[in-house]
Amino acid sequence: MPAPALALALAAALPTTASAQATQAELYIDVATHTMPGMPGMGALGRMAGAMGAGAAPGYGMARHPGMPGKYLDVALHNQRRPGTPARQAVPKGLRLGERIDLLPPASKSGNDATPAANDALGQHGDGSFRIRYYWGCGEQVRAGQPAEFTVTVRNGKVVQSGRAMTPRQVPQHAVGQDPRYALWPNPSARKTVAGNASLAGTHTVTGEQLPASLQFELGRDHDFMPELKLKSEGDAGQGMTLRWDGVDGARAYFIHGTAMDGETIVMWSSSEDGYAGQELIDFLPESLVAQWTGKRTLMGADARSCRIPREVFAGTGKGTPMLQMVAYGNDRTIAQPGWSVRVRTKSTAMLMSGLGGAATQEAGREAAKPAAKDAAKSVLRGLIGR
């Protein structure tokens, strides 16, 4: 073949080769372990908490913000050639979900189901003023310049803000929601939940209409469920609390956020040393951001094992009232091959509510019921200052 003809033939072949190498399928896997230290497993308090969680099987999306203790797994598949088409994922025996899980597109929702949480909360509270007091940092005493205070007043549906409003940290949103272009697990057809002794380690194979035949990958210990985050507290809100925990294998950093009520004032605190950091950090974070924020002391390093909450933070909230949330950040890895990619994110979280250790008293039961109201308040705050 003459040289010019050969060059034309090669040029014509190049687009086809590039197209064949383009990503045809993207698989997203979120892996979470959640615990509530001191929560009785089968007692009256445990049953009450189960009822609060609606008693239903975990649904897709709960790996980001788990409710009850356990292991959580979210899987989302984007088939570029056939978006929203069902697929199957053969899974290792150790996952204890059978030979495979079925990935299905989400069911469509009616317009009546979508009501913004912040608007709901504002409507329930009506007119009034809400004061928020912020603290941050571990130690015996609060830092100079704290607390920062912020007041939100709602009158006739209008919001007026005053004081020092804190800006939430910018956390990249790489989560896949209930998007009809994706096939998801868990879904309404899933009959099993993830067992406490489940493991993702092993071979996974995804098959479906017009998916790459090579979509098979291995997950090892680094991509598996992380161990439980065993958080313990010493002292009380009035005298100051010291938080301690055992190291979590695979953890790259830690972060703690606390919330309590002081009369009509919402008190918030975090373990960050470089300024305000909110509940938005109790989520999966990219490894690059974990490294950056650990260096700035927004996050505690992997070798951290304790944090003292200054007495002034929760001194006015009464004994046993703070709700504490903690996260151990794991890996955020991508496995890429010609035609497909798999992204796996891991974390381990804990929620500690004072009063749940020892005897399960009625007072402890009332304490366990408070997070729902506090979560609603925080939803309002995110809507107001998290723009």
Side-chain angles (χ1 to χ4, degrees):
M1 180 180 294
L6 178 59
L8 287 173
L10 290 174
L14 283 175
T16 302
T17 302
S19 177
Q21 297 297 317
T23 301
Q24 302 168 19
E26 299 167 308
L27 190 70
Y28 301 89
I29 302 177
D30 284 350
V31 185
T33 303
H34 183 58
T35 185
M36 296 176 68
M39 173 67 76
M42 298 300 292
L45 194 56
R47 291 193 297 272
M48 182 196 72
M52 289 169 59
Y60 177 81
M62 290 186 67
R64 287 191 64 201
H65 304 292
M68 295 306 298
K71 292 182 175 180
Y72 293 82
L73 175 67
D74 286 342
V75 182
L77 171 68
H78 188 204
N79 184 341
Q80 299 277 10
R81 293 177 171 176
R82 294 297 303 273
T85 301
R88 295 157 298 282
Q89 182 171 336
V91 295
K93 184 178 180 180
L95 190 53
R96 301 180 182 275
L97 291 175
E99 295 182 354
R100 74 179 196 190
I101 57 176
D102 294 322
L103 310 180
L104 302 176
S108 61
K109 294 184 178 181
S110 67
N112 294 332
D113 294 334
T115 304
N119 290 342
D120 281 352
L122 278 173
Q124 292 170 7
H125 285 289
D127 291 353
S129 292
F130 311 90
R131 177 173 294 175
I132 305 96
R133 193 159 65 227
Y134 305 98
Y135 297 88
W136 55 90
C138 303
E140 290 294 333
Q141 296 180 325
V142 298
R143 310 298 199 274
Q146 297 187 40
E149 293 196 4
F150 175 54
T151 300
V152 178
T153 301
V154 182
R155 291 178 182 171
N156 299 322
K158 295 183 179 180
V159 178
V160 178
Q161 307 175 28
S162 62
R164 181 182 170 190
M166 310 304 291
T167 303
R169 302 282 173 140
Q170 294 300 311
V171 177
Q173 297 298 319
H174 295 309
V176 176
Q178 298 277 350
D179 191 321
R181 297 172 298 174
Y182 290 79
L184 311 173
W185 191 94
N187 50 62
S189 71
R191 298 183 179 275
K192 294 183 178 180
T193 58
V194 179
N197 57 351
S199 172
L200 281 165
T203 302
H204 297 248
T205 305
V206 182
T207 57
E209 189 174 349
Q210 295 192 34
L211 286 175
S214 62
L215 215 173
Q216 178 174 302
F217 55 95
E218 295 278 338
L219 294 183
R221 183 178 178 183
D222 290 347
H223 303 100
D224 208 351
F225 297 97
M226 296 176 70
E228 290 185 352
L229 178 52
K230 297 180 179 179
L231 178 63
K232 302 180 288 291
S233 67
E234 301 170 0
D236 58 40
Q239 299 300 319
M241 302 172 65
T242 298
L243 306 176
R244 302 186 189 279
W245 58 92
D246 298 332
V248 176
D249 290 344
R252 295 178 173 272
Y254 300 96
F255 174 76
I256 309 172
H257 186 270
T259 307
M261 298 298 297
D262 182 0
E264 296 300 317
T265 299
I266 301 170
V267 181
M268 294 187 180
W269 165 88
S270 82
S271 57
S272 170
E273 297 289 341
D274 71 334
Y276 171 78
Q279 194 190 24
E280 67 276 3
L281 270 64
I282 309 291
D283 203 345
F284 296 98
L285 291 182
E287 288 187 10
S288 59
L289 195 55
V290 170
Q292 175 185 338
W293 281 352
T294 302
K296 293 182 177 180
R297 299 201 301 165
T298 307
L299 309 179
M300 296 178 287
D303 58 346
R305 295 293 180 269
S306 67
C307 172
R308 173 75 175 176
I309 303 178
R311 183 190 64 81
E312 298 94 329
V313 175
F314 296 122
T317 63
K319 293 186 177 180
T321 54
M323 181 184 72
L324 300 163
Q325 297 181 81
M326 184 173 182
V327 57
Y329 302 100
N331 293 317
D332 181 357
R333 299 284 177 81
T334 298
I335 305 169
Q337 294 293 329
W340 57 267
S341 67
V342 178
R343 181 175 184 178
V344 186
R345 308 189 297 181
T346 62
K347 68 172 182 175
S348 183
T349 54
M351 178 184 290
L352 182 64
M353 292 178 288
S354 301
L356 292 186
T361 62
Q362 291 183 354
E363 177 61 26
R366 286 192 291 270
E367 289 297 323
K370 290 181 180 179
K374 293 174 183 174
D375 285 344
K378 284 180 281 188
S379 294
V380 175
L381 297 180
R382 285 196 295 270
L384 293 175
I385 67 174
R387 296 190 296 270

